[in-house]
Amino acid sequence: MNFLPFKPKSIRIEACSACQLKCPSCSTGQGRIAQSIVGTGFLRKEQFADLIAKNSWISEVELSNWGETFLNPQILDIFRIAFEHDIQVRASNGVNLNTVKEDVLEALVAYRVRHLTCSIDGASQETYVQYRRKGDFEKVIYHIKTINKYKKLYDSKYPELSWKFVIFGHNEHEIPKARQMAEELNMEFHYAWSWDKEFSPPKNADLILIKNGLMRESGDWMPNLRAMCMQMWKQPQINYDGKVLGCCVNQWADYGNAFEIGLIRALNNEKINYARGMLMGKVPPKDDIPCARCHHFKDFKNASLWINRKEIYHLLFRQTLYPIYRRLRLYKLRKM
């Protein structure tokens, strides 16, 4: 498959693939990620600085994926480097916020980290720890309050904070209290269903939503699946050690190492383009392509809901031509 080489404005880099919690349904907490191609480690500030310096078109970086971002001992420096290069940093995939130093909490605000999604599945220690095992609910709330303290001190709205509440049978009774706490902490409140249907399943999903005034999520799982697969073009995933994984799900093989062969080459080589061709339904699956081992791709293939060229060209336009067009238009308006 031949594609136009592209330079994504937004990328995902795993800041740290380790986690201090032992959540029962989590691949990281149960040790499976450590044994995969992802492995255990953290992004080093020198490698991050070098990647950013050599790829100056990058304007946004997502730092969270398999592990806990704040376990990276150099995370404060990474925030600073991003800030100095005018790069918007996020941890929107999710952090548990159990272990973090106060100077890092201040750095979140001082270096204008854009957004944090905090995974908090309960409104009390007793409930929270049933899934977030080894977690400390009160410490998490204290850290959020500390962030808010610095936001007030710096007169900043960043980072914007979201409370992500995964609904289980053991915590459904605390949804109203959690929503109230989120509001008091100036956090957006979002809920999600656990993918693990065996662990503490909710007793009555429809009744939970009705009682708590929540909107039912779409029963169609394909939009979320398409968003993950579009990461291959829109926001490719890079491991802490430079391995290009393509998407946030891949844990089987890489497409090259961005730290060793360069980001553009790693994002535009024959192997990753073949994977994109698979996602478009243009080429048959190959065993050495990570997508072939992904159950999401199998669902995607069975539904025949392929990524199409129109989506890709629209994305490429937004990433490359539109910024140029916008700058030219602003220049002409200033000259009028």
Side-chain angles (χ1 to χ4, degrees):
M1 294 295 297
N2 294 318
F3 295 95
L4 292 172
F6 76 108
K7 301 176 179 180
K9 299 291 184 183
S10 180
I11 60 174
R12 303 167 60 94
I13 308 179
E14 180 85 84
C16 179
S17 63
C19 185
Q20 75 278 54
L21 305 189
K22 297 296 180 183
C23 306
S25 304
C26 177
S27 296
T28 306
Q30 299 309 305
R32 293 187 291 275
I33 289 302
Q35 299 172 7
S36 74
I37 190 69
V38 176
T40 301
F42 63 88
L43 175 66
R44 299 186 181 276
K45 62 181 180 180
E46 297 84 3
Q47 293 172 319
F48 180 71
D50 187 61
L51 185 75
I52 296 304
K54 291 178 179 177
N55 301 282
S56 58
W57 56 84
I58 295 172
S59 60
E60 183 178 276
V61 174
E62 166 65 47
L63 289 171
S64 59
N65 193 36
W66 290 110
E68 172 61 8
T69 299
F70 294 107
L71 293 183
N72 186 324
Q74 299 179 341
I75 194 64
L76 190 154
D77 293 310
I78 289 171
F79 291 156
R80 175 184 52 78
I81 292 165
F83 179 78
E84 290 172 349
H85 287 80
D86 197 26
I87 292 172
Q88 295 184 14
V89 167
R90 298 172 177 271
S92 298
N93 187 67
V95 297
N96 65 56
L97 212 62
N98 272 264
T99 306
V100 53
K101 296 179 180 178
E102 179 143 351
D103 59 346
V104 174
L105 295 172
E106 182 176 3
L108 283 167
V109 182
Y111 296 133
R112 298 175 69 81
V113 171
R114 285 306 196 266
H115 183 259
L116 291 182
T117 295
C118 305
S119 300
I120 314 173
D121 315 315
S124 66
Q125 173 65 10
E126 181 182 6
T127 301
Y128 171 78
V129 78
Q130 290 191 49
Y131 184 73
R132 303 287 166 180
R133 295 180 181 173
K134 294 192 174 183
D136 187 328
F137 177 79
E138 295 300 333
K139 188 178 290 186
V140 173
I141 300 302
Y142 171 77
H143 289 155
I144 293 168
K145 288 180 178 179
T146 303
I147 293 171
N148 284 332
K149 176 187 73 175
Y150 284 115
K151 286 170 70 172
K152 185 175 181 179
L153 181 65
Y154 281 81
D155 190 25
S156 175
K157 68 176 184 178
Y158 298 117
E160 296 177 334
L161 302 171
S162 295
W163 180 315
K164 182 179 179 182
F165 189 105
V166 178
I167 301 176
F168 295 103
H170 66 263
N171 69 8
E172 58 188 62
H173 65 287
E174 288 195 340
I175 294 174
K177 184 179 178 182
R179 292 182 74 183
Q180 182 181 350
M181 292 182 69
E183 184 177 352
E184 292 169 354
L185 292 166
N186 195 29
M187 303 176 74
E188 292 284 337
F189 183 82
H190 304 285
Y191 76 94
W193 302 108
S194 173
W195 66 270
D196 183 353
K197 305 304 180 185
E198 300 299 320
F199 178 83
S200 189
K203 298 175 178 62
N204 187 322
D206 289 325
L207 183 59
I208 291 169
L209 298 180
I210 293 169
K211 285 175 62 178
N212 293 285
L214 300 173
M215 294 180 63
R216 169 166 280 286
E217 291 177 323
S218 171
D220 184 3
W221 44 264
M222 292 307 294
N224 289 333
L225 178 56
R226 288 177 66 82
M228 286 189 291
C229 293
M230 276 297 290
Q231 288 173 6
M232 293 284 283
W233 288 269
K234 185 177 182 180
Q235 195 183 40
Q237 178 73 48
I238 301 167
N239 204 33
Y240 68 88
D241 57 2
K243 296 189 193 84
V244 172
L245 302 177
C247 75
C248 65
V249 177
N250 180 18
Q251 54 184 281
W252 303 285
D254 64 86
Y255 298 101
N257 193 302
F259 296 161
E260 296 173 1
I261 66 174
L263 181 61
I264 293 302
R265 184 178 171 189
L267 293 179
N268 292 279
N269 59 46
E270 182 179 352
K271 185 176 181 180
I272 197 169
N273 279 336
Y274 193 94
R276 293 182 179 119
M278 286 172 56
L279 294 172
M280 296 176 69
K282 300 296 184 182
V283 295
K286 286 174 60 177
D287 290 341
D288 64 334
I289 303 297
C291 298
R293 301 181 63 180
C294 178
H295 69 276
H296 292 307
F297 174 74
K298 294 173 184 177
D299 292 336
F300 202 76
K301 180 174 180 290
N302 290 337
S304 297
L305 197 58
W306 307 111
I307 304 294
N308 60 65
R309 286 189 178 273
K310 184 177 180 180
E311 291 175 280
I312 297 167
Y313 288 139
H314 176 73
L315 173 63
L316 292 175
F317 173 76
R318 296 291 301 179
Q319 289 183 339
T320 56
L321 298 179
Y322 179 74
I324 297 172
Y325 164 78
R326 188 170 181 273
R327 285 196 295 269
L328 287 173
R329 180 170 175 79
L330 288 173
Y331 175 78
K332 289 180 179 179
L333 287 173
R334 292 193 190 101
K335 289 292 184 179
M336 291 177 65

